[in-house]
Amino acid sequence: MSLPSFKLFRPHSIEDAVRYLSIHAGEIKIVAGGTDLLPSMKQRLFTPKYVLDIRGIEELQSIRVIPGHALEIGALVTLTAIEDSELIRRRYPVLREAAMTVASPILRNMGTIGGNICLDTRCLWYNQSLTWRKSCGFCIKKDGDLCHVAPGGKKCWAAFSADSPAALLCLEAELEIAGPTGFRRMPLADFYTNVGDAHLKIQKNEILTRVLLPERTAGYSGVYQKLRMRGSIDYPLAGVAAIMKKSSAHGVVEDARVAITAVNPAPLLVKEAVHALIGKPVNEISAAAVGELAARLAKPLTTSLLTPEYRREIIRVYAKRAVLAAARA
Ligand SMILES: Cc1cc2nc3c(=O)[nH]c(=O)nc-3n(C[C@H](O)[C@H](O)[C@H](O)COP(=O)(O)OP(=O)(O)OC[C@H]3O[C@@H](n4cnc5c(N)ncnc54)[C@H](O)[C@@H]3O)c2cc1C
């Protein structure tokens, strides 16, 4: 499969990138590592007239400590750089663990944290060639008006299938977004709509520039558990991140967060998990209670070759395991 033709722009500053996005809004796609966008363009899921290659914007390529926040990660930092960062390993281990499970080493060398956060949603009926999709009458997410996974429904249930956002949700990450009127910030928790065919709250003339991690969650232990078809390379079909801070004196949980990914059109924080854990020691019962809460939040449909029942059950099991493992870490 070949790429459709397009005109390429290569800005070297955020201002220039935003200018191109504003002039060509609706006809232009941002490419960072290209590990997801380019295969999707080959499948004619996107046929933009213009492509904006942002890799020349140097100021988005670093990880640094900044006043007011513990850490700032540029949108172009690769997943390999996250894996290699001593600072992230020490202070935000859950992010490193999630990033390390993305795709394969070669894809992580190219793939960026910004691309991972802005990843398109995925579905068995969508991530296919043009011929395949045409033979099924297309779908609500692209070129059609019916949903094969929830027939009769109007909502697109394509699953958000990136790993690092579950970890970033636990860490209470904030995003910095640049647009024609300057920069704005929003919590990552507000960035996703939970609707598969319009899943991000970012405008066509905006670009994700940085991820900010707070001091508050630095040093928490963390674990990421993931289900995928091919152990060495695949997108998640269910993912759970858990972070925890325990009181050194009594061994009870002082603070904790659990988030799930790949089973809804958005990564989601299991909000009640904190109440199930705080002030208590972690044991089989409290961990199982979190597993139950996570499974209740998960709404997988037949967007993959695995059954929804199996993926929901895996969320239950992995959430329990993640909580027990985070308590031991
Ligand atoms: C075989 C294979 C396996 C994979 N397995 C996994 C996996 O296990 N887990 C996983 O999470 N991902 C997986 N991926 C997807 C992908 O490799 C990663 O998600 C990667 O982090 C995407 O980053 P990128 O820079 O390559 O994004 P790109 O492909 O460049 O972009 C992805 C999307 O984000 C948008 N975008 C990129 N940067 C920005 C920005 N700064 N601002 C606004 N929009 C932006 C693009 O327009 C595009 O829509 C896999 C891909 C392949 C081909």
Side-chain angles (χ1 to χ4, degrees), residues 29-39 46 54 60 75-76 79 101-104 107-108 110-120 122 161-165 200 202 206-209 226 228 230 233-236:
K29 278 297 281 181
I30 294 174
V31 67
T35 58
D36 193 70
L37 182 71
L38 297 184
F46 301 102
I54 57 173
L60 301 185
L76 288 170
L79 297 163
T101 71
V102 172
S104 65
L107 288 164
R108 292 197 293 276
M110 293 294 290
T112 63
I113 188 75
N116 201 237
I117 291 169
C118 297
L119 197 67
D120 193 14
R122 295 183 67 77
S161 307
D163 293 294
S164 74
L200 302 179
I202 187 166
E206 290 182 320
I207 176 174
L208 170 63
T209 44
K226 165 174 178 176
R228 52 182 156 179
R230 299 167 294 179
I233 195 170
D234 246 331
Y235 292 87

Side-chain angles (χ1 to χ4, degrees), residues 26-223:
E27 298 184 307
I28 188 164
K29 278 297 281 181
I30 294 174
V31 67
T35 58
D36 193 70
L37 182 71
L38 297 184
S40 297
M41 284 175 64
K42 290 180 180 179
Q43 293 179 317
R44 301 303 188 265
L45 295 171
F46 301 102
T47 49
K49 203 165 168 188
Y50 307 99
V51 170
L52 189 73
D53 175 0
I54 57 173
R55 282 173 305 172
I57 307 178
E58 256 179 54
E59 60 178 301
L60 301 185
Q61 297 177 2
S62 57
I63 300 175
R64 55 187 194 116
V65 178
I66 52 155
H69 278 88
L71 210 62
E72 177 192 275
I73 307 176
L76 288 170
V77 168
T78 64
L79 297 163
T80 299
I82 286 180
E83 183 177 340
D84 291 346
S85 162
E86 176 55 24
L87 214 52
I88 291 177
R89 190 189 65 74
R90 230 176 345 99
R91 309 204 74 199
Y92 302 102
V94 72
L95 175 58
R96 178 170 184 264
E97 219 181 271
M100 281 171 69
T101 71
V102 172
S104 65
I106 292 171
L107 288 164
R108 292 197 293 276
N109 287 344
M110 293 294 290
T112 63
I113 188 75
N116 201 237
I117 291 169
C118 297
L119 197 67
D120 193 14
T121 52
R122 295 183 67 77
C123 179
L124 186 59
W125 301 88
Y126 169 71
N127 297 97
Q128 303 289 353
S129 68
L130 179 61
T131 319
W132 196 104
R133 289 183 289 116
K134 194 173 173 189
S135 71
C136 299
F138 295 109
C139 78
I140 208 167
K141 182 159 161 74
K142 176 72 183 159
D143 297 330
D145 56 7
L146 58 118
C147 179
H148 300 277
V149 301
K154 289 279 169 253
K155 177 176 173 178
C156 171
W157 285 92
F160 181 74
S161 307
D163 293 294
S164 74
L168 291 168
L169 274 181
C170 288
L171 295 171
E172 299 185 342
E174 236 180 33
L175 302 182
E176 181 195 78
I177 293 169
T181 53
F183 292 90
R184 66 184 173 106
R185 283 189 183 177
M186 71 189 306
L188 177 69
D190 295 341
F191 188 58
Y192 300 101
T193 63
N194 207 19
V195 175
D197 55 352
H199 70 299
L200 302 179
K201 290 186 198 157
I202 187 166
Q203 304 300 315
K204 289 188 163 66
N205 55 6
E206 290 182 320
I207 176 174
L208 170 63
T209 44
R210 295 178 180 91
V211 184
L212 303 148
L213 297 179
E215 184 61 44
R216 193 171 52 255
T217 51
Y220 281 31
S221 63
V223 170

